[in-house]
Amino acid sequence: MTIDWAALRAAATDVAGRAYAPYSRLRVGAAGLTADGRVVTGCNVENASFGLTLCAECGLVSALHAAGVSAVPALVAVDVVAGDGAPLAPCGRCRQLLQEAGGAALLVDTADGPVPLSDLLPAAFGGPDLSARRDPAQPEG
Ligand SMILES: [Zn+2]
């Protein structure tokens, strides 16, 4: 699959313009290319309580599921930018979110060009860790 990084970055920059960021004033947009060729986007949404703030990637992953993308992994490429249109590294929480949506091979745009997510989140925790390490004696919640 050919990845149009310029279009992905343009979509991320566009949605960054709709971010709700009155506290940090750091607008962030994220655009992801799905395995079936769609582009999904998200922007950051801050909250006065700060701890409830949603990163742009949270919105993107929500949009991914809302769009009914069922491929595994669902994402093949992601571009996250600040309001100025330049790449911004996903925070740690979002790297974990992207890992579940796109896997280790997900390409993430950076200031130095696209890199696999495994470069940004080595030795990632994932679903297989849960199934392999469950305590069968622990009652289900
Ligand atoms: Zn984040």
Side-chain angles (χ1 to χ4, degrees):
M1 171 183 290
T2 301
I3 300 168
D4 185 346
W5 287 102
L8 214 49
R9 189 176 294 186
T13 303
D14 180 59
V15 74
R18 293 192 292 279
Y20 176 71
Y23 306 105
S24 72
R25 292 183 287 159
L26 175 63
R27 293 179 180 273
V28 182
L33 177 65
T34 68
D36 61 4
R38 289 184 265 177
V39 173
V40 291
T41 61
C43 60
N44 58 328
V45 178
E46 294 182 348
N47 186 275
S49 69
F50 288 12
L52 294 178
T53 292
L54 301 174
C55 295
E57 299 90 327
C58 297
L60 184 157
V61 171
S62 179
L64 179 70
H65 289 281
V69 178
S70 59
V72 177
L75 284 177
V76 296
V78 168
D79 213 319
V80 181
V81 302
D84 62 5
L88 191 65
C91 78
R93 176 181 72 164
C94 289
R95 292 175 193 202
Q96 184 68 38
L97 275 175
L98 293 172
Q99 167 73 25
E100 190 136 337
L106 171 67
L107 291 173
V108 180
D109 198 16
T110 72
D112 298 323
V115 299
L117 181 61
S118 57
D119 285 8
L120 303 176
L121 188 66
F125 173 85
D129 295 305
L130 290 175
S131 56
R133 309 290 291 277
R134 278 197 178 105
D135 180 354
Q138 177 71 45
E140 280 191 48

